[in-house]
PDB file of all heavy atoms in Angstrom:
ATOM      1  N   ILE O 248       5.714   7.022  -0.775  1.00 95.00           N
ATOM      2  CA  ILE O 248       7.052   6.858  -1.278  1.00 95.00           C
ATOM      3  C   ILE O 248       8.142   7.354  -0.284  1.00 95.00           C
ATOM      4  O   ILE O 248       7.911   8.269   0.505  1.00 95.00           O
ATOM      5  CB  ILE O 248       7.202   7.633  -2.645  1.00 95.00           C
ATOM      6  CG1 ILE O 248       8.521   7.227  -3.350  1.00 95.00           C
ATOM      7  CG2 ILE O 248       7.065   9.148  -2.471  1.00 95.00           C
ATOM      8  CD1 ILE O 248       8.592   7.831  -4.765  1.00 95.00           C
ATOM      9  N   GLY O 249       9.288   6.741  -0.475  1.00 92.00           N
ATOM     10  CA  GLY O 249      10.478   7.155   0.330  1.00 92.00           C
ATOM     11  C   GLY O 249      11.541   6.062   0.147  1.00 92.00           C
ATOM     12  O   GLY O 249      11.222   4.961  -0.218  1.00 92.00           O
ATOM     13  N   VAL O 250      12.776   6.445   0.440  1.00 90.00           N
ATOM     14  CA  VAL O 250      13.849   5.416   0.318  1.00 90.00           C
ATOM     15  C   VAL O 250      13.651   4.422   1.430  1.00 90.00           C
ATOM     16  O   VAL O 250      12.893   4.614   2.357  1.00 90.00           O
ATOM     17  CB  VAL O 250      15.255   6.053   0.396  1.00 90.00           C
ATOM     18  CG1 VAL O 250      15.444   7.052  -0.772  1.00 90.00           C
ATOM     19  CG2 VAL O 250      15.449   6.784   1.715  1.00 90.00           C
ATOM     20  N   THR O 400       6.130   2.209  -1.611  1.00 91.00           N
ATOM     21  CA  THR O 400       7.094   1.805  -2.638  1.00 91.00           C
ATOM     22  C   THR O 400       8.289   2.762  -2.650  1.00 91.00           C
ATOM     23  O   THR O 400       8.231   3.872  -2.122  1.00 91.00           O
ATOM     24  CB  THR O 400       6.470   1.769  -4.022  1.00 91.00           C
ATOM     25  OG1 THR O 400       7.385   1.237  -4.989  1.00 91.00           O
ATOM     26  CG2 THR O 400       6.107   3.204  -4.502  1.00 91.00           C
ATOM     27  N   HIS O 401       9.425   2.255  -3.095  1.00 88.00           N
ATOM     28  CA  HIS O 401      10.551   3.164  -3.395  1.00 88.00           C
ATOM     29  C   HIS O 401      10.845   3.129  -4.880  1.00 88.00           C
ATOM     30  O   HIS O 401      11.820   3.709  -5.316  1.00 88.00           O
ATOM     31  CB  HIS O 401      11.783   2.690  -2.621  1.00 88.00           C
ATOM     32  CG  HIS O 401      12.238   1.281  -2.953  1.00 88.00           C
ATOM     33  ND1 HIS O 401      11.738   0.176  -2.375  1.00 88.00           N
ATOM     34  CD2 HIS O 401      13.167   0.885  -3.851  1.00 88.00           C
ATOM     35  CE1 HIS O 401      12.338  -0.900  -2.936  1.00 88.00           C
ATOM     36  NE2 HIS O 401      13.213  -0.472  -3.804  1.00 88.00           N
ATOM     37  N   THR O 403       9.914   4.544  -8.256  1.00 89.00           N
ATOM     38  CA  THR O 403       9.178   5.665  -8.787  1.00 89.00           C
ATOM     39  C   THR O 403       8.340   5.320 -10.024  1.00 89.00           C
ATOM     40  O   THR O 403       7.346   5.919 -10.287  1.00 89.00           O
ATOM     41  CB  THR O 403      10.168   6.823  -9.154  1.00 89.00           C
ATOM     42  OG1 THR O 403      11.184   6.308 -10.043  1.00 89.00           O
ATOM     43  CG2 THR O 403      10.842   7.336  -7.888  1.00 89.00           C
ATOM     44  N   TYR O 415       4.995  11.623   0.314  1.00 96.00           N
ATOM     45  CA  TYR O 415       6.461  11.421   0.317  1.00 96.00           C
ATOM     46  C   TYR O 415       7.010  11.640   1.742  1.00 96.00           C
ATOM     47  O   TYR O 415       6.805  12.679   2.316  1.00 96.00           O
ATOM     48  CB  TYR O 415       7.084  12.433  -0.613  1.00 96.00           C
ATOM     49  CG  TYR O 415       8.544  12.311  -0.946  1.00 96.00           C
ATOM     50  CD1 TYR O 415       9.334  11.295  -0.403  1.00 96.00           C
ATOM     51  CD2 TYR O 415       9.203  13.182  -1.783  1.00 96.00           C
ATOM     52  CE1 TYR O 415      10.625  11.166  -0.700  1.00 96.00           C
ATOM     53  CE2 TYR O 415      10.573  13.120  -2.059  1.00 96.00           C
ATOM     54  CZ  TYR O 415      11.280  12.064  -1.518  1.00 96.00           C
ATOM     55  OH  TYR O 415      12.602  11.990  -1.806  1.00 96.00           O
ATOM     56  N   THR O 447      10.744  14.212 -13.862  1.00 85.00           N
ATOM     57  CA  THR O 447      10.129  12.899 -13.607  1.00 85.00           C
ATOM     58  C   THR O 447      10.164  12.644 -12.103  1.00 85.00           C
ATOM     59  O   THR O 447      10.868  13.300 -11.347  1.00 85.00           O
ATOM     60  CB  THR O 447      10.939  11.749 -14.299  1.00 85.00           C
ATOM     61  OG1 THR O 447      12.255  11.653 -13.665  1.00 85.00           O
ATOM     62  CG2 THR O 447      11.102  12.061 -15.769  1.00 85.00           C
ATOM     63  N   LEU O 448       9.325  11.681 -11.655  1.00 88.00           N
ATOM     64  CA  LEU O 448       9.306  11.385 -10.232  1.00 88.00           C
ATOM     65  C   LEU O 448      10.663  10.841  -9.805  1.00 88.00           C
ATOM     66  O   LEU O 448      11.042  11.085  -8.659  1.00 88.00           O
ATOM     67  CB  LEU O 448       8.218  10.332  -9.978  1.00 88.00           C
ATOM     68  CG  LEU O 448       6.764  10.835 -10.172  1.00 88.00           C
ATOM     69  CD1 LEU O 448       5.766   9.701  -9.950  1.00 88.00           C
ATOM     70  CD2 LEU O 448       6.453  12.027  -9.234  1.00 88.00           C
ATOM     71  N   GLU O 449      11.366  10.111 -10.692  1.00 86.00           N
ATOM     72  CA  GLU O 449      12.699   9.588 -10.303  1.00 86.00           C
ATOM     73  C   GLU O 449      13.642  10.736 -10.037  1.00 86.00           C
ATOM     74  O   GLU O 449      14.406  10.740  -9.101  1.00 86.00           O
ATOM     75  CB  GLU O 449      13.193   8.676 -11.387  1.00 86.00           C
ATOM     76  CG  GLU O 449      14.571   8.055 -11.060  1.00 86.00           C
ATOM     77  CD  GLU O 449      15.049   7.093 -12.067  1.00 86.00           C
ATOM     78  OE1 GLU O 449      14.492   7.072 -13.224  1.00 86.00           O
ATOM     79  OE2 GLU O 449      15.960   6.352 -11.742  1.00 86.00           O
ATOM     80  N   GLU O 450      13.592  11.754 -10.932  1.00 85.00           N
ATOM     81  CA  GLU O 450      14.514  12.907 -10.755  1.00 85.00           C
ATOM     82  C   GLU O 450      14.139  13.680  -9.508  1.00 85.00           C
ATOM     83  O   GLU O 450      15.069  14.110  -8.799  1.00 85.00           O
ATOM     84  CB  GLU O 450      14.310  13.837 -11.993  1.00 85.00           C
ATOM     85  CG  GLU O 450      14.959  13.285 -13.218  1.00 85.00           C
ATOM     86  CD  GLU O 450      14.600  14.066 -14.469  1.00 85.00           C
ATOM     87  OE1 GLU O 450      13.568  14.774 -14.486  1.00 85.00           O
ATOM     88  OE2 GLU O 450      15.408  14.083 -15.471  1.00 85.00           O
ATOM     89  N   ILE O 451      12.864  13.807  -9.220  1.00 87.00           N
ATOM     90  CA  ILE O 451      12.417  14.511  -8.010  1.00 87.00           C
ATOM     91  C   ILE O 451      12.998  13.786  -6.759  1.00 87.00           C
ATOM     92  O   ILE O 451      13.551  14.399  -5.836  1.00 87.00           O
ATOM     93  CB  ILE O 451      10.922  14.563  -7.906  1.00 87.00           C
ATOM     94  CG1 ILE O 451      10.371  15.623  -8.909  1.00 87.00           C
ATOM     95  CG2 ILE O 451      10.430  14.914  -6.472  1.00 87.00           C
ATOM     96  CD1 ILE O 451       8.860  15.570  -9.016  1.00 87.00           C
ATOM     97  N   MET O 452      12.843  12.491  -6.760  1.00 86.00           N
ATOM     98  CA  MET O 452      13.304  11.693  -5.556  1.00 86.00           C
ATOM     99  C   MET O 452      14.797  11.755  -5.414  1.00 86.00           C
ATOM    100  O   MET O 452      15.321  11.987  -4.282  1.00 86.00           O
ATOM    101  CB  MET O 452      12.808  10.264  -5.681  1.00 86.00           C
ATOM    102  CG  MET O 452      12.940   9.482  -4.403  1.00 86.00           C
ATOM    103  SD  MET O 452      12.104   7.870  -4.525  1.00 86.00           S
ATOM    104  CE  MET O 452      12.494   7.224  -2.879  1.00 86.00           C
ATOM    105  N   ILE O 453      15.509  11.593  -6.518  1.00 86.00           N
ATOM    106  CA  ILE O 453      17.013  11.622  -6.453  1.00 86.00           C
ATOM    107  C   ILE O 453      17.492  12.949  -5.956  1.00 86.00           C
ATOM    108  O   ILE O 453      18.341  13.046  -5.049  1.00 86.00           O
ATOM    109  CB  ILE O 453      17.599  11.314  -7.838  1.00 86.00           C
ATOM    110  CG1 ILE O 453      17.398   9.836  -8.192  1.00 86.00           C
ATOM    111  CG2 ILE O 453      19.115  11.640  -7.818  1.00 86.00           C
ATOM    112  CD1 ILE O 453      17.785   9.480  -9.634  1.00 86.00           C
ATOM    113  N   ARG O 454      16.959  14.053  -6.511  1.00 84.00           N
ATOM    114  CA  ARG O 454      17.419  15.383  -6.140  1.00 84.00           C
ATOM    115  C   ARG O 454      17.016  15.765  -4.710  1.00 84.00           C
ATOM    116  O   ARG O 454      17.741  16.397  -3.985  1.00 84.00           O
ATOM    117  CB  ARG O 454      16.928  16.421  -7.167  1.00 84.00           C
ATOM    118  CG  ARG O 454      17.460  16.175  -8.556  1.00 84.00           C
ATOM    119  CD  ARG O 454      17.046  17.258  -9.526  1.00 84.00           C
ATOM    120  NE  ARG O 454      17.327  16.790 -10.902  1.00 84.00           N
ATOM    121  CZ  ARG O 454      17.333  17.592 -11.970  1.00 84.00           C
ATOM    122  NH1 ARG O 454      17.020  18.862 -11.794  1.00 84.00           N
ATOM    123  NH2 ARG O 454      17.603  17.098 -13.162  1.00 84.00           N
ATOM    124  N   THR O 455      15.841  15.318  -4.318  1.00 87.00           N
ATOM    125  CA  THR O 455      15.364  15.654  -2.938  1.00 87.00           C
ATOM    126  C   THR O 455      16.171  14.887  -1.916  1.00 87.00           C
ATOM    127  O   THR O 455      16.599  15.450  -0.858  1.00 87.00           O
ATOM    128  CB  THR O 455      13.903  15.306  -2.793  1.00 87.00           C
ATOM    129  OG1 THR O 455      13.076  15.932  -3.775  1.00 87.00           O
ATOM    130  CG2 THR O 455      13.396  15.685  -1.407  1.00 87.00           C
ATOM    131  N   GLU O 456      16.490  13.605  -2.158  1.00 83.00           N
ATOM    132  CA  GLU O 456      17.223  12.809  -1.199  1.00 83.00           C
ATOM    133  C   GLU O 456      18.665  13.311  -1.087  1.00 83.00           C
ATOM    134  O   GLU O 456      19.353  13.165  -0.059  1.00 83.00           O
ATOM    135  CB  GLU O 456      17.232  11.335  -1.614  1.00 83.00           C
ATOM    136  CG  GLU O 456      15.895  10.684  -1.495  1.00 83.00           C
ATOM    137  CD  GLU O 456      15.354  10.623  -0.106  1.00 83.00           C
ATOM    138  OE1 GLU O 456      16.114  10.589   0.859  1.00 83.00           O
ATOM    139  OE2 GLU O 456      14.081  10.620   0.067  1.00 83.00           O
ATOM    140  N   ARG O 457      19.194  13.922  -2.108  1.00 79.00           N
ATOM    141  CA  ARG O 457      20.567  14.432  -2.126  1.00 79.00           C
ATOM    142  C   ARG O 457      20.656  15.879  -1.625  1.00 79.00           C
ATOM    143  O   ARG O 457      21.743  16.431  -1.510  1.00 79.00           O
ATOM    144  CB  ARG O 457      21.182  14.313  -3.531  1.00 79.00           C
ATOM    145  CG  ARG O 457      21.422  12.898  -3.956  1.00 79.00           C
ATOM    146  CD  ARG O 457      21.989  12.877  -5.360  1.00 79.00           C
ATOM    147  NE  ARG O 457      22.327  11.501  -5.797  1.00 79.00           N
ATOM    148  CZ  ARG O 457      22.701  11.157  -7.008  1.00 79.00           C
ATOM    149  NH1 ARG O 457      22.854  12.137  -7.941  1.00 79.00           N
ATOM    150  NH2 ARG O 457      23.029   9.953  -7.341  1.00 79.00           N
TER     151      ARG O 457
END
Side-chain angles (χ1 to χ4, degrees):
I248 191 174
V250 298
T400 187
H401 62 275
T403 54
Y415 188 2
T447 66
L448 293 177
E449 183 177 13
E450 289 170 333
I451 287 172
M452 193 170 179
I453 290 172
R454 297 185 192 192
T455 303
E456 293 297 331
R457 290 178 176 174

